[in-house]
Amino acid sequence: PEKLVDGELADPEPSCDEVRVRIRAVALNHLDVWVREGLPHIKHTYPHVLGSDIAGDLEDGTPVIISPGLSCLQCRACLSGHDNLCRRYRILGEHVRGGYAERICVPKANIVPRPLARRDTGEPLAATDCAAFLLTAMTAWQMLARRARVVPGETVVVIGAGSGVGV
């Protein structure tokens, strides 16, 4: 925490393929701790903004969540649905400006409508609820669906369910 600095940055301006999101909630992910401690394979420009798991609103007020993985969307890996294998793959808050801010600009392809209520109970979902699962859910999905190829009807044992990915 002693490495974090509270400061003012100019609002980012979206490029032609981006949208600006007003951030409502951002989760603390263990990735943020690793980035703060320094990752030898990444050279940041400073100030660097942490935060991968973001829920917010588009400028027109539409509630959204942001898929934290950025890819080229053009290479073989991206076109085959394996964008996390893209050579240009980056993660918000790790490689590029993240969500510990008031606003962020991201590719339109990374915008997902934010659910406003639980499907099963109809109870409202806050932005904080939505931000709490993004990167960990992507990681768990990758492990279960793509690596282990788990299908409906199979049983999975989750060891360490107290972690973000385990949850």
Side-chain angles (χ1 to χ4, degrees):
E2 64 279 356
K3 295 179 183 179
L4 297 176
V5 176
D6 185 20
E8 293 290 324
L9 295 174
D11 282 343
E13 290 297 324
S15 67
C16 63
D17 66 334
E18 293 182 324
V19 293
R20 186 169 33 216
V21 176
R22 182 170 186 260
I23 297 169
R24 297 287 184 188
V26 61
L28 175 63
N29 188 297
H30 202 275
L31 178 61
D32 300 315
V33 176
W34 290 329
V35 172
R36 268 199 333 256
E37 291 174 351
L39 298 171
H41 64 286
I42 299 175
K43 303 296 180 219
H44 291 115
T45 57
Y46 293 95
H48 179 71
V49 180
L50 297 169
S52 304
D53 303 312
I54 305 164
D57 301 317
L58 297 178
E59 292 184 322
D60 68 3
T62 303
V64 297
I65 55 177
I66 301 173
S67 179
L70 305 172
S71 57
C72 76
L73 303 175
Q74 299 172 0
C75 69
R76 174 179 279 162
C78 288
L79 295 175
S80 68
H82 296 89
D83 58 314
N84 61 313
L85 300 178
C86 174
R87 288 184 177 200
R88 292 186 240 161
Y89 189 77
R90 299 163 297 153
I91 297 176
L92 295 172
E94 180 181 15
H95 304 93
V96 298
R97 182 178 178 155
Y100 286 15
E102 293 177 7
R103 289 175 182 77
I104 188 169
C105 292
V106 295
K108 293 173 188 171
N110 288 69
I111 296 297
V112 178
R114 187 171 82 216
L116 300 179
R118 289 180 47 157
R119 287 185 189 179
D120 58 344
T121 65
E123 293 177 30
L125 278 176
T128 51
D129 296 330
C130 295
F133 77 95
L134 296 167
L135 191 59
T136 57
M138 288 175 55
T139 303
W141 176 260
Q142 170 69 22
M143 291 187 297
L144 290 170
R146 294 200 173 148
R147 287 285 204 190
R149 295 189 176 118
V150 174
V151 297
E154 291 185 323
T155 301
V156 175
V157 175
V158 178
I159 299 173
S163 70
V165 173
V167 169

